[in-house]
Amino acid sequence: MTRLSSRMSYREARQELELLWKVKVSQGGLRDVTMRHGRVADILLGEKAAYLEATAPTPTAQPEQLVMSTDGAMVQLTGGEWREVKTVTFGEFRPHWDAKQRKVVTKTDNISYFSRVETAEAFSHSALVEWHRRGGEKAHTVVAVQDGAVWIQSFIDYHCPQATRVIDFAHAQEYVATVGRAIHGAETDAFQQWFARMSKQLGRQPPQRTVNELRLLQRQHPDHPEEKSIELAIRYLEKRIAMIDYPHFRHRQIPIGSGNVESGHKVVMQKRMKQAGMRWAEENLNPMLALRVALCNQTWHTSWREIEARVRREKYPDKAEQKRYASRVVEPQVITEADCQRLTQLADRIDRKKRHPWRNNKWIFPHRQNSIHKK
């Protein structure tokens, strides 16, 4: 029930159960079962992140070249508000010969996902679970492809400050287009020709050339009605010159697109949580995302065993406690010299009061030499 409800809506899951297994379950019952397991999965993720942060164990995976992309997408709540689902994707990239294009292209495969509804700082801590599983600390090369949001830069600083940072090419193109639309007009032929030339230049020439040309275009049109938006777009690119050096990235065969995280929104969140008419209670977002991550990363069997073990332990706490107490090792009692003296005095008193003189009370201290043993 939980797996089906993680893959499709509760209504569709109910229909599948009734059709294939002849089991009739209400949608409310499916929701309760799924959310109960989802909350357990969410708790386990938090515990794993805390453990990794406290102990910093060595990861087992050793990728040669790892690319990570981070972004956010919105989901609607039952009250009409919106919440941002932050997603990070990890993949391994390598050069690949494309027979159709007849050139070497960079291919990314073995992609995994991690999604949560949290603050930027909390998300950085929670994502340690997937970062560790993918062996990010042991990767020879780490490339971070994303937009220039400040919280994403902090996310990269937390996990891998030495990563090569790349602004998504389409994202940089949008800032170039902002200047062109303001100057030439959004739907004019002049803008289309200008933007095609500037996009090619951005991808093939040093970034300073593109930024300088945009500055020249700005000076040629002083007192423009959209002067503020033009200045912000150019300044955005100027501050990120090192992140838009696409000729250098192409030469190193580094990915320059963040399509992995864009598709990650569709795969993890939108496919299940943004269907027609869907709205979510805020407390149900992370539980469902925890199940979706296990499903999309193909780690369902491992995650389900952990969920099942935790549910069983919570359901039968007494037996678990008995096993825990039974496993304790009983330490031997330490006997001091004072204890021996007290027992010796006790034996002397018994010896004086004994009714049978033939008994010497050696059973108290069979190996201790004292007065009662000599009688």
Side-chain angles (χ1 to χ4, degrees):
M1 288 192 293
T2 303
R3 183 178 173 88
L4 278 177
S5 299
S6 303
R7 295 180 63 90
M8 58 189 71
S9 66
Y10 298 119
R11 178 179 58 83
E12 294 172 327
R14 183 182 63 83
Q15 293 173 352
E16 291 296 320
L17 286 169
E18 185 175 355
L19 178 64
L20 299 178
W21 287 280
K22 309 301 180 183
V23 176
K24 293 184 179 181
V25 185
S26 65
Q27 294 187 31
L30 279 175
R31 183 185 302 109
D32 292 342
V33 170
T34 304
M35 286 298 101
R36 181 167 68 248
H37 293 146
R39 283 188 286 271
V40 174
D42 186 42
I43 292 172
L44 290 173
L45 285 177
E47 291 177 353
K48 288 180 182 178
Y51 171 78
L52 293 174
E53 206 167 25
T55 61
T58 303
T60 56
Q62 297 183 7
E64 182 65 23
Q65 299 182 116
L66 192 70
V67 57
M68 66 177 180
S69 299
T70 313
D71 198 11
M74 306 303 290
V75 63
Q76 192 172 16
L77 302 181
T78 53
E81 303 91 348
W82 293 82
R83 290 292 181 270
E84 185 182 34
V85 178
K86 297 178 176 62
T87 299
V88 58
T89 64
F90 299 95
E92 299 178 26
F93 67 93
R94 57 184 176 82
H96 172 73
W97 172 256
D98 192 327
K100 291 184 178 180
Q101 302 183 32
R102 301 184 63 83
K103 64 178 182 180
V104 177
V105 297
T106 302
K107 182 180 180 180
T108 303
D109 51 16
N110 194 16
I111 300 173
S112 63
Y113 315 92
F114 186 82
S115 298
R116 298 275 290 177
V117 178
E118 289 179 325
T119 62
E121 183 178 358
F123 181 71
S124 298
H125 295 278
S126 300
L128 275 173
V129 176
E130 191 61 22
W131 169 259
H132 176 79
R133 190 180 76 87
R134 295 305 304 269
E137 296 176 0
K138 284 193 172 183
H140 183 268
T141 302
V142 178
V143 177
V145 185
Q146 75 290 315
D147 60 33
V150 176
W151 76 267
I152 297 180
Q153 302 305 317
S154 300
F155 179 87
I156 301 171
D157 291 337
Y158 180 80
H159 290 284
C160 189
Q162 71 274 14
T164 302
R165 309 186 188 209
V166 181
I167 297 294
D168 173 52
F169 184 73
H171 191 76
Q173 278 183 309
E174 187 60 31
Y175 282 89
V176 174
T178 299
V179 179
R181 291 192 191 99
I183 301 298
H184 299 290
E187 303 296 334
T188 62
D189 293 338
F191 167 71
Q192 297 296 335
Q193 296 175 5
W194 177 87
F195 182 66
R197 180 179 65 82
M198 293 295 290
S199 296
K200 185 176 181 180
Q201 177 177 293
L202 181 65
R204 300 297 179 182
Q205 300 295 330
Q208 292 83 356
R209 181 172 180 178
T210 300
V211 173
N212 291 338
E213 189 167 338
L214 293 176
R215 278 297 183 191
L216 178 61
L217 192 63
Q218 180 189 26
R219 295 189 186 98
Q220 291 174 352
H221 297 80
D223 302 326
H224 194 278
E226 299 184 32
E227 172 64 24
K228 185 176 181 179
S229 61
I230 293 174
E231 175 63 24
L232 290 176
I234 299 176
R235 190 180 301 172
Y236 179 91
L237 297 175
E238 283 180 337
K239 290 182 178 179
R240 296 163 176 83
I241 285 291
M243 302 182 192
I244 60 174
D245 193 358
Y246 300 112
H248 175 66
F249 299 146
R250 290 179 186 274
H251 179 72
R252 293 181 55 189
Q253 297 176 338
I254 287 177
I256 61 173
S258 60
N260 293 333
V261 71
E262 298 295 337
S263 62
H265 292 312
K266 299 177 183 178
V267 171
V268 178
M269 187 266 290
Q270 295 177 7
K271 186 177 181 180
R272 175 61 183 88
M273 304 174 68
K274 290 193 72 173
Q275 298 183 23
M278 279 190 177
R279 294 189 179 187
W280 290 82
E282 189 167 7
E283 63 271 15
N284 292 340
L285 291 176
N286 283 333
M288 178 55 72
L289 288 171
L291 296 174
R292 289 292 301 171
V293 165
L295 196 65
C296 297
N297 289 346
Q298 299 182 1
T299 59
W300 179 270
H301 296 295
T302 302
S303 300
W304 180 252
R305 284 196 297 268
E306 296 174 354
I307 294 171
E308 195 175 27
R310 176 60 62 87
V311 170
R312 187 181 297 112
R313 191 173 69 182
E314 292 177 354
K315 189 175 182 181
Y316 305 104
D318 294 336
K319 293 184 178 180
E321 289 295 323
Q322 290 175 4
K323 291 182 179 179
R324 183 165 64 87
Y325 287 131
S327 62
R328 290 182 177 178
V329 178
V330 179
E331 297 182 357
Q333 185 177 3
V334 178
I335 299 176
T336 63
E337 181 64 24
D339 296 330
C340 296
Q341 294 295 336
R342 285 196 298 270
L343 289 175
T344 301
Q345 295 174 3
L346 174 62
D348 291 340
R349 289 198 302 269
I350 294 175
D351 183 61
R352 287 193 298 268
K353 295 180 180 180
K354 64 182 181 180
R355 298 180 180 179
H356 304 285
W358 58 89
R359 296 182 181 176
N360 56 13
N361 295 317
K362 289 186 178 182
W363 56 272
I364 298 179
F365 273 116
H367 303 291
R368 187 174 180 84
Q369 297 297 328
N370 52 43
S371 60
I372 65 173
H373 295 159
K374 297 178 182 180
K375 293 181 180 179

